[in-house]
Short mmCIF file of all heavy atoms in Angstrom, two decimals:
data_model
loop_
_atom_site.label_atom_id
_atom_site.label_comp_id
_atom_site.label_asym_id
_atom_site.label_seq_id
_atom_site.Cartn_x
_atom_site.Cartn_y
_atom_site.Cartn_z
N ASP A 320 91.43 89.15 104.19
CA ASP A 320 90.36 89.63 105.08
C ASP A 320 90.89 90.71 106.03
O ASP A 320 90.22 91.71 106.28
CB ASP A 320 89.78 88.47 105.90
CG ASP A 320 88.84 87.59 105.09
OD1 ASP A 320 88.48 87.98 103.96
OD2 ASP A 320 88.48 86.51 105.59
N CYS A 321 92.09 90.48 106.55
CA CYS A 321 92.70 91.48 107.45
C CYS A 321 92.97 92.78 106.69
O CYS A 321 92.70 93.87 107.19
CB CYS A 321 94.00 90.93 108.03
SG CYS A 321 93.79 89.56 109.17
N ALA A 322 93.51 92.66 105.49
CA ALA A 322 93.82 93.84 104.69
C ALA A 322 92.54 94.60 104.33
O ALA A 322 92.51 95.85 104.37
CB ALA A 322 94.58 93.45 103.43
N ASP A 323 91.49 93.87 104.00
CA ASP A 323 90.21 94.52 103.68
C ASP A 323 89.65 95.26 104.89
O ASP A 323 89.03 96.32 104.75
CB ASP A 323 89.21 93.49 103.18
CG ASP A 323 89.54 92.96 101.79
OD1 ASP A 323 90.37 93.59 101.10
OD2 ASP A 323 88.98 91.91 101.42
N MET A 324 89.85 94.70 106.08
CA MET A 324 89.37 95.37 107.29
C MET A 324 90.14 96.66 107.53
O MET A 324 89.59 97.67 107.98
CB MET A 324 89.49 94.44 108.50
CG MET A 324 88.93 95.03 109.80
SD MET A 324 87.23 95.65 109.67
CE MET A 324 86.37 94.12 109.26
N VAL A 325 91.44 96.65 107.22
CA VAL A 325 92.22 97.88 107.32
C VAL A 325 91.64 98.95 106.40
O VAL A 325 91.48 100.12 106.79
CB VAL A 325 93.70 97.62 106.98
CG1 VAL A 325 94.47 98.95 106.86
CG2 VAL A 325 94.35 96.73 108.04
N VAL A 326 91.30 98.56 105.17
CA VAL A 326 90.70 99.50 104.23
C VAL A 326 89.39 100.06 104.79
O VAL A 326 89.14 101.27 104.73
CB VAL A 326 90.46 98.82 102.87
CG1 VAL A 326 89.63 99.71 101.96
CG2 VAL A 326 91.79 98.50 102.21
N THR A 327 88.57 99.20 105.35
CA THR A 327 87.30 99.64 105.94
C THR A 327 87.54 100.65 107.06
O THR A 327 86.84 101.67 107.15
CB THR A 327 86.52 98.43 106.50
OG1 THR A 327 86.17 97.57 105.41
CG2 THR A 327 85.25 98.87 107.22
N MET A 328 88.54 100.39 107.88
CA MET A 328 88.84 101.30 108.99
C MET A 328 89.41 102.63 108.50
O MET A 328 89.31 103.64 109.19
CB MET A 328 89.79 100.63 109.97
CG MET A 328 89.15 99.52 110.77
SD MET A 328 90.31 98.63 111.83
CE MET A 328 89.16 97.67 112.84
N CYS A 329 90.01 102.63 107.33
CA CYS A 329 90.50 103.89 106.75
C CYS A 329 89.38 104.68 106.11
O CYS A 329 89.41 105.91 106.09
CB CYS A 329 91.60 103.60 105.73
SG CYS A 329 93.13 102.97 106.46
N ARG A 330 88.38 103.97 105.60
CA ARG A 330 87.24 104.64 104.98
C ARG A 330 86.27 105.24 106.01
O ARG A 330 85.62 106.25 105.74
CB ARG A 330 86.46 103.64 104.13
CG ARG A 330 87.05 103.30 102.79
CD ARG A 330 85.95 102.66 101.95
NE ARG A 330 86.44 102.21 100.67
CZ ARG A 330 86.40 100.95 100.27
NH1 ARG A 330 85.96 100.01 101.08
NH2 ARG A 330 86.83 100.61 99.07
N THR A 331 86.15 104.62 107.15
CA THR A 331 85.08 104.95 108.08
C THR A 331 85.10 106.41 108.53
O THR A 331 86.15 107.03 108.64
CB THR A 331 85.15 104.04 109.32
OG1 THR A 331 84.02 104.31 110.17
CG2 THR A 331 86.42 104.29 110.14
N GLU A 332 83.92 106.92 108.80
CA GLU A 332 83.78 108.25 109.37
C GLU A 332 83.25 108.20 110.80
O GLU A 332 83.18 109.24 111.47
CB GLU A 332 82.82 109.10 108.52
CG GLU A 332 83.28 109.34 107.09
CD GLU A 332 84.45 110.32 106.98
OE1 GLU A 332 84.79 110.95 108.01
OE2 GLU A 332 85.02 110.43 105.89
N THR A 333 82.87 107.02 111.29
CA THR A 333 82.19 106.94 112.58
C THR A 333 82.76 105.88 113.53
O THR A 333 82.31 105.79 114.67
CB THR A 333 80.69 106.64 112.37
OG1 THR A 333 80.55 105.43 111.62
CG2 THR A 333 80.01 107.78 111.63
N MET A 334 83.69 105.05 113.07
CA MET A 334 84.26 104.03 113.95
C MET A 334 85.61 104.50 114.49
O MET A 334 86.50 104.87 113.72
CB MET A 334 84.47 102.72 113.17
CG MET A 334 85.04 101.58 114.05
SD MET A 334 85.73 100.19 113.09
CE MET A 334 84.41 99.83 111.96
#
Side-chain angles (χ1 to χ4, degrees):
D320 283 350
C321 292
D323 289 345
M324 183 53 62
V325 171
V326 170
T327 296
M328 289 175 169
C329 292
R330 283 197 184 119
T331 185
E332 297 288 351
T333 57
M334 181 196 310

